[in-house]
Amino acid sequence: MGKRTYGKEFGFMTRAVHTGNDVDAETGAIRRPITMANSYELPYDPSDINWSGAGGNLYTRNGGSNQAYLQEKLASLEGGEDCIALASGVAALSGLFFALLQSGDHVVFGSVTYIAAYRLLNELFNNKFRVETTLVDTTDPDAVRKAMRPNTKLVHIETPGNPTMMITDIAAIAEIAHEHGALLSVDNTFASPFNTRPIELGADFVIESLTKYVNGHGDAMGGAIIGKKEHLDLIRAQSQINLGGTISPFNAWLIMRGAVTLPLRMRQHNESAMKIAQWLAAQPGVRFVAYPGLPGCKGHEIAKKQMSPGFSGMMSFGLNADHDTHNKFVSCLKVITSAVSLGHDESLIAFLGEDDERQYLYPEEFHGGFFRFSVGLEDTEDLIEDIRQALEKVGLA
Ligand SMILES: *Cc1c(COP(=O)(O)O)cnc(C)c1O
């Protein structure tokens, strides 16, 4: 049988299952194998090979087969032309910035983004490479418009933003970026391509930390950049092959396997998180809940426009209590695990105290310390009961 392809005429679930998989030519297995090889046999006369090239099987840092299969699936799910899968979400962020930005370029980026994006742009790229950066509350399109300069090369946003859950209007920011001749990258890790596809809303690049929802099982790290082939060819040459953050074949295979169930998992994450957010919002011991699916939350109207069918499994909340009571609450949880990362099968919670250096950029209600909560795939009732009994133990129920 020839190579099977699954275009736009197929639904998201069909593409999540089939894209990137095929019959193995050697054995006839209906699963493609994991190719744990660093290197590939050279042709009779290798003298004219471009050792820094991405085409063909040469050396796994330049590109391997498991990486290629995963890239095919992710490009399809995000609705992009091409994809580069790298060793982590941060490798994807740094790879994008490294290839795109030159000294003297200007970047506008969200004041609340993943901490490594903040460090890369606001500390490393401007100090080492004289890239100008402006931190902006991207939930306000007018603030983004005002921040644009003639040398603005890139606008980088994250929505929902980690950890405040702030929602940025992707279509509105894409229009502003393009009016000013800049490109837009969107970190879509919190929403996942099941709920939001930024390229369809006008973004030039999507960043995913595959470590989170796309893999979904907490056992592999990876990252991806999705976008147009002309841009990605440049990023692949500069940032994958010469910076070297290529994903391992085994991790690519694990993430490929995890991604098959992304639609099913996300449906459950969406449903449980909505129920839990509503329940939390009704508890007197809870100081605030930030979940884009709640009608009272800032950004809900925009979230309704660009997040569908659901609002994902991430939320933040705080207790009507002091610092230590937050820690005590976490120690009383029996089902929910205290750990960083998110989008795993199991529920994860992390207490982010009130001494974060970016505290001044967070909304007022976050200032007393808060939890970032990744709602997992356990029974919703068990999660609610876990939170209820912990609230009771610390005297808040
Ligand atoms: C975790 C995360 C990243 C970084 O991904 P890693 O795989 O940990 O390198 C980037 N952006 C967001 C929004 C994240 O949550």
Side-chain angles (χ1 to χ4, degrees):
M1 191 197 296
K3 190 172 149 51
R4 294 191 286 179
T5 54
Y6 298 87
K8 280 252 176 176
E9 68 277 20
F10 290 96
F12 192 92
M13 291 174 76
T14 303
R15 286 179 286 128
V17 170
H18 286 289
T19 307
N21 188 37
D22 214 329
V23 174
D24 177 36
E26 187 177 332
T27 63
I30 61 168
R31 298 274 139 181
R32 278 168 158 174
I34 313 176
T35 304
M36 294 297 285
N38 298 348
S39 199
Y40 293 78
E41 188 180 42
L42 290 171
Y44 170 75
D45 180 5
S47 61
D48 62 352
I49 283 180
N50 172 9
W51 306 112
S52 299
N57 291 335
L58 173 67
Y59 188 55
T60 295
R61 176 162 41 72
N62 300 42
S65 51
N66 294 102
Q67 179 193 30
Y69 307 151
L70 175 62
Q71 289 171 169
E72 206 188 312
K73 192 188 290 289
L74 294 171
S76 168
L77 296 181
E78 298 278 1
E81 268 177 34
D82 197 1
C83 169
I84 304 176
L86 295 167
S88 69
V90 167
L93 285 167
S94 59
L96 173 73
F97 301 154
F98 182 80
L100 227 59
L101 301 173
Q102 313 281 341
S103 297
D105 284 344
H106 175 237
V107 181
V108 172
F109 78 108
S111 51
V112 179
T113 54
Y114 189 69
I115 188 74
Y118 172 84
R119 296 246 181 276
L120 280 166
L121 291 172
N122 217 43
E123 293 175 6
L124 298 173
F125 272 72
N126 56 9
N127 291 334
K128 283 179 187 283
F129 307 129
R130 286 179 286 112
V131 169
E132 300 166 24
T133 56
T134 307
L135 224 66
V136 172
D137 175 1
T138 57
T139 65
D140 176 5
D142 286 336
V144 175
R145 193 185 303 281
K146 282 200 194 90
M148 300 300 288
R149 299 177 192 166
N151 59 338
T152 306
K153 184 72 177 283
L154 180 71
V155 178
H156 176 72
I157 63 174
E158 189 176 302
T159 181
N162 183 356
T164 59
M165 306 302 304
M166 293 292 111
I167 300 294
T168 293
D169 186 333
I170 298 169
I173 304 299
E175 207 176 302
I176 295 167
H178 296 156
E179 266 169 27
H180 291 81
L183 297 166
L184 173 66
S185 59
V186 179
D187 188 328
N188 195 44
T189 300
F190 268 38
S192 92
F194 182 67
N195 288 319
T196 303
R197 285 171 300 283
I199 288 172
E200 292 172 0
L201 299 167
D204 300 285
F205 301 101
V206 179
I207 297 284
E208 295 280 352
S209 167
L210 305 175
T211 313
K212 317 292 173 47
Y213 284 113
V214 174
N215 179 50
H217 294 75
D219 50 13
M221 300 199 79
I225 310 168
I226 298 97
K228 288 201 179 72
K229 189 173 178 322
E230 58 172 302
H231 293 134
L232 266 58
D233 281 345
L234 176 86
I235 300 170
R236 196 171 275 117
Q238 291 193 5
S239 301
Q240 174 179 311
I241 299 168
N242 292 307
L243 286 183
T246 309
I247 193 166
S248 82
F250 186 55
N251 281 5
W253 182 87
L254 279 172
I255 294 167
M256 179 90 177
R257 182 184 220 240
V260 166
T261 55
L262 178 73
L264 283 172
R265 288 184 285 105
M266 290 315 300
R267 237 177 242 138
Q268 187 62 46
H269 287 299
N270 288 346
E271 188 188 314
S272 288
M274 182 63 113
K275 279 193 190 142
I276 294 171
Q278 285 166 342
W279 182 85
L280 278 172
Q283 304 309 304
V286 172
R287 189 173 79 242
F288 78 94
V289 184
Y291 182 65
L294 292 180
C297 275
K298 189 176 177 241
H300 174 67
E301 291 306 316
I302 291 157
K304 273 204 303 200
K305 241 181 26 178
Q306 66 187 32
M307 298 185 84
S308 171
F311 301 95
S312 199
M314 294 303 302
M315 68 184 71
S316 291
F317 68 98
L319 304 179
N320 275 317
D322 62 7
H323 182 101
D324 195 48
T325 305
H326 282 81
N327 285 324
K328 208 156 139 199
F329 167 84
V330 170
S331 75
C332 294
L333 294 167
K334 296 170 182 165
V335 179
I336 301 163
T337 306
S338 171
V340 293
S341 199
L342 55 103
H344 295 192
D345 41 17
E346 73 185 295
S347 293
L348 300 173
I349 196 164
F351 175 50
L352 306 174
E354 47 277 67
D355 50 3
D356 186 296
E357 70 193 279
R358 294 186 299 166
Q359 192 77 230
Y360 74 99
L361 297 165
Y362 295 168
E364 188 70 30
E365 63 269 25
F366 284 74
H367 291 190
F370 62 94
F371 302 118
R372 188 185 63 193
F373 181 26
S374 171
V375 176
L377 301 175
E378 301 93 339
D379 289 280
T380 317
E381 299 70 27
D382 288 344
L383 295 174
I384 290 177
E385 174 53 24
D386 199 34
I387 298 168
R388 195 203 58 76
Q389 62 83 31
L391 284 174
E392 193 173 79
K393 286 207 178 95
V394 300
L396 288 171

